[in-house]
Amino acid sequence: MIDENLPPAMAKSLAALFAGKHEVVHLRKKFGPGVKDTEWIAALNAEGSWIIISADRRITKNKAEQQAFKSSKLVGFFLSSGLQKSKLTKQMERLMALWETIEKQADLVSGGAMFEIPIKSTKLKQI
């Protein structure tokens, strides 16, 4: 799931690239624009295991959103603040460089885990 703070084009590109291996959907396509974080977190949690790629660091800091996420079956990968401010091409470059690491990390952890996607490093930092 690509969150609402990232462009739908990112989700479309990743969906095409990983067709048959991963279902990649933009949050707006599934829930419409402006859905509250606690609502989509609860809905995706009810569906089962989802991996979230997000530029919404508020989820990691706001108590209600953080609690909803940490008690869910979701695993989140959040762009670092520097990466959030970067151009889409840089964001995609980092996602592609770390995609296998993201896949492996998601398989290793249980739901509610949050990680930061760095702008330069090859290591994910747990949030």
Side-chain angles (χ1 to χ4, degrees):
M1 180 65 63
I2 305 297
D3 91 346
E4 195 167 30
N5 293 332
L6 293 168
M10 179 183 282
K12 288 178 186 175
S13 299
L14 292 170
L17 187 62
F18 295 109
K21 183 171 182 184
H22 298 293
E23 176 187 6
V24 181
V25 181
H26 195 272
L27 195 74
R28 277 185 226 142
K29 185 173 182 178
K30 188 163 180 75
F31 296 101
V35 64
K36 293 183 180 186
D37 291 334
T38 52
E39 291 176 22
W40 68 257
I41 291 168
L44 292 180
N45 181 51
E47 289 183 19
S49 301
W50 278 88
I51 309 297
I52 310 301
I53 297 176
S54 177
D56 186 359
R57 294 298 293 255
R58 188 182 65 235
I59 295 170
T60 67
K61 296 175 182 167
N62 176 285
K63 286 193 181 222
E65 294 171 2
Q66 183 186 58
Q67 181 58 35
F69 198 97
K70 288 198 173 223
S71 63
S72 76
K73 299 173 196 156
L74 309 177
V75 178
F77 296 90
F78 295 84
L79 276 59
S80 67
S81 59
L83 193 53
Q84 287 175 336
K85 297 171 189 167
S86 298
K87 292 181 180 182
L88 178 60
T89 51
K90 179 66 172 180
Q91 293 172 350
M92 288 296 289
E93 172 192 309
R94 295 305 298 149
L95 280 175
M96 292 298 87
L98 294 169
W99 193 265
E100 288 183 18
T101 303
I102 290 169
E103 287 179 322
K104 288 175 186 172
Q105 190 65 51
D107 286 340
L108 290 174
V109 298
S110 59
M114 299 178 176
F115 299 91
E116 180 179 85
I117 299 173
I119 193 165
K120 293 182 180 177
S121 174
T122 57
K123 296 182 180 177
L124 299 172
K125 176 182 154 190
Q126 189 160 12
I127 300 173

